[in-house]
Amino acid sequence: MNLSNTVLLFISLLNIQQVFAISFIEAAKKLSTHESVQRIEKSSLSVREGAGEKGSWGDPMFKVSAKNYPKDSLKDNETPMTGLEFGVSQKIALSTKYGNIQNAMTSLANSLNYDAKNKELSLVKGLWEVVILRRKMVSEKIILEENYSWIKKILKVSKKLYANGRTSQQALLDIQIRKSELEVQLSNKSYELSQLEDRLNYLVVAKGGDKFKYNSVPWKVLSTKASKIKDFKELSLKSKLNSKSYGLTASKQNFLPDVTVGLGYTKRSNIDNRGDFVGASISFPLPFSGKKYSVYGKAVNEKYSAKKELENYKRSKDRDSKILEKEIKKVSGEVSILTKKTIKFAKNSRKITAKSYSLGNSSYVELLQSELKLQKILMKKVMLVAKRDIKKVTLRYILGESLYE
């Protein structure tokens, strides 16, 4: 996904309301209330609440039975076996299976909670990409404004040279065309910048014409080593693996069946003078079906899958972070060369060519080429700085480093 699509995706997701002007850190913290984050948090709470249900033996059962009433009279004093039976039964686990089921669901809830935290950070990463893009557009506008101011001065010089017959009308026209091109570029850049700011201010601030405080962006964060590292994606996968481990243990214990113990009391008419009856029962399922074996096989594969998912994430994280570190060094080196050498050379070249042109020793083509080359180099530096900083944000996100503190 390219930067433009990322910005559009972020803008379509972000929906924060604030009455007063809001800083970057305030906006970042507000992202914890975003619908996409809260949806995952609520799923986590739902699973956590369900853990208590799944980990319970269940309620005891109470039963009332009318037993052995004659079908013709339905009287309770004609046979000694007639009576009302009152019974209580309870399912009892012979292992810690239900405790492990509860632990499995609690670990799954923890995994979802970490997913919510990771989603929040991904939105903060998106916010960074928006402000980096905005800074890039502002810098590009400044470059165009400086070039526009320079080309207007050159146009004045050209008009004097034309009046003195030292340059052609074609030169004058081409310089005027270049001036109009810059006007179009400036107009478009101002429009694009206004669009971006309006959308961000509306979605982040939302009311009363208040503005997002761009001067509050903590740029120094991108150049400092984080003191706290918390990779919520990795923590989520670890909790998921724990959940599957508990589930596998529970499926093993499931081969030992639960037993249901019952007690009964039968109230009789006592026509045989033997009093009321009491009784007890115990029942358990016979393991004749393949259900338990299928459940166990499923649990084994789920744990293996979760384990491999975690291992793959660690490997890909290590790979991606090393690649990003090298790319950042590469881009930073290019920016350094552009700043210390190339831009200075290009500025000197334009300056010398402009002076030579004013003396009639250089052509307008050489003049425009030097101006275009300088603009291209300056624009390239702005693009590379934005590219470098987005990679820095991405690297911090991958490593689990703070994005605003």
Side-chain angles (χ1 to χ4, degrees), residues 378-392:
L378 290 171
M379 290 292 194
K380 183 178 181 181
K381 178 192 172 184
V382 169
M383 181 272 294
L384 288 173
V385 169
K387 182 179 179 181
R388 178 200 65 195
D389 287 350
I390 287 176
K391 289 184 181 297
K392 285 184 176 181

Side-chain angles (χ1 to χ4, degrees), residues 90 118 149 152 174 202 244:
Q90 172 66 56
N118 186 60
S149 176
K152 284 198 300 183
D174 282 350
Y202 175 76
K244 300 305 179 183

Side-chain angles (χ1 to χ4, degrees), residues 332-389:
S332 296
E334 194 170 353
V335 169
S336 178
I337 292 172
L338 285 173
T339 303
K340 294 177 181 179
K341 297 180 180 180
T342 312
I343 291 175
K344 288 182 179 180
F345 296 153
K347 285 183 176 180
N348 287 335
S349 175
R350 188 183 72 170
K351 184 178 179 181
I352 292 170
T353 305
K355 186 174 181 180
S356 178
Y357 173 76
S358 66
L359 297 173
N361 296 327
S362 294
S363 69
Y364 76 92
V365 175
E366 292 173 315
L367 178 70
L368 292 178
Q369 285 178 341
S370 67
E371 182 264 332
L372 284 169
K373 190 169 186 178
L374 175 60
Q375 178 177 308
K376 182 179 178 181
I377 293 170
L378 290 171
M379 290 292 194
K380 183 178 181 181
K381 178 192 172 184
V382 169
M383 181 272 294
L384 288 173
V385 169
K387 182 179 179 181
R388 178 200 65 195
D389 287 350

